[in-house]
Amino acid sequence: MSAQFIGMIQPHEVSEIIARRGPAIDPAYVRAFAQAHEYAGFDRILVPASGSSPDTLLTVNYAAAATKNINFLLAHRPGFVAPTLAARQLATLDHYTGGRVAVHIISGGSDEDQQRDGDFLSHDERYARTDEYLGLLRRVWGEDKPFDHEGRYYRAKGVWSEVKPLQQPHIPIYFGGASAPALEVAGRHANLYALWGESLAQAGDLVQRVRAAAALHKREIDFSISFRPILGATEAEAWDRAQHILEATRHFRSEQSYARGGPQQSEGARRLLADAANGDRVDERLWTAIARETGGRSNTTSLVGTAGQVADALIKYYDLGIHTFLIRGFDPLPDTLAYGRELLPLVKDKLASSKRVSVAVTHSSPALQALAA
């Protein structure tokens, strides 16, 4: 299986080191950013969601119209739209994009952000709602006769949709969340489970746990992992750039107090900070300083080095059974083009020239320790 690469676009230029320039929605930037990913050879583009960001459904629709072949990953939060309506919206978008859509289910890792949209459920309740939501979503996509539903969070009668997804049996479901309730939902519903950029030890352990959760339902599951690669012509140049990014992040956050946001209740954030507690550099290439600086918010760990060194680091995760990589830069648009020029072809060439067997091992196994060496 070849590696798949996912990028990420936002409706305006912004990052940990760049204050937003211009309006909240910059159509020209979205168009250029999406086309840059397609030109660079990415397989898919994530459009993220928050309690204050522009609508993801409409952003994906616009970006898809500006591209030809690249696929999209639409971040979607259960709880704010009825699952019956969401099923029709997503199926409709799937047709208009020619089957280029997947949905990334985000149950919510910050109480503060959820409450912006009126959601006051607890962390575990959000995942219980997601479980019911996804079950109903998939029924709408798959049932050929009207049906009734009565659950803890949703009640509907005579549910029926004329539109079914273009992709069959349904639109691919990506899923994030590392807590025990999240893993139960992932095992039951997800086609692909998304990790943040953890150490080899933590990632290998989590892959094994998610596979076990899926096996309870006689299902198999794929995996992705997220990094912010920092490349240089030499290793020293890459680490110098990383230090500049850290200094710029600190400066930006000192000037923009709102950039800190509310506390993260997610297990994913706790896991990133657990890696950061072991030092700024883990597994030789994994750089955790930005994750520590930002409190484990989002995918903020990096792989630092030359393109060849970062490619080798990614392949170690591939050998754990993680075949999809979500990568984005701190200077978003130029980094996207640099990845397409320097990193993506190198990873694919290295994988094509070797026969590799994916493994799922615990952090204590000799095989994983050898990978991390």
Side-chain angles (χ1 to χ4, degrees), residues 200-205 320 361-373:
L200 287 165
Q202 286 197 164
D205 176 69
L320 295 178
V361 291
T362 65
H363 65 279
S364 59
S365 73
L368 185 53
Q369 292 174 357
L371 282 172

Side-chain angles (χ1 to χ4, degrees), residues 77-96:
R77 291 184 170 187
F80 306 115
V81 176
T84 50
L85 173 58
R88 299 197 306 277
Q89 289 176 324
L90 291 167
T92 301
L93 184 63
D94 198 39
H95 279 269
Y96 282 130

Side-chain angles (χ1 to χ4, degrees), residues 113-124:
D113 201 45
Q114 292 294 118
Q115 290 167 10
R116 289 191 180 102
D117 280 319
D119 181 17
F120 289 85
L121 292 184
S122 68
H123 174 277
D124 289 1

Side-chain angles (χ1 to χ4, degrees), residues 41-84:
F42 282 78
D43 300 286
R44 194 177 291 276
I45 304 170
L46 168 67
V47 177
S50 75
S52 59
S53 60
D55 183 79
T56 56
L57 194 79
L58 296 175
T59 301
V60 168
N61 187 52
Y62 179 81
T67 54
K68 295 180 179 179
N69 300 309
I70 196 165
N71 297 308
F72 288 86
L73 181 57
L74 183 153
H76 180 72
R77 291 184 170 187
F80 306 115
V81 176
T84 50

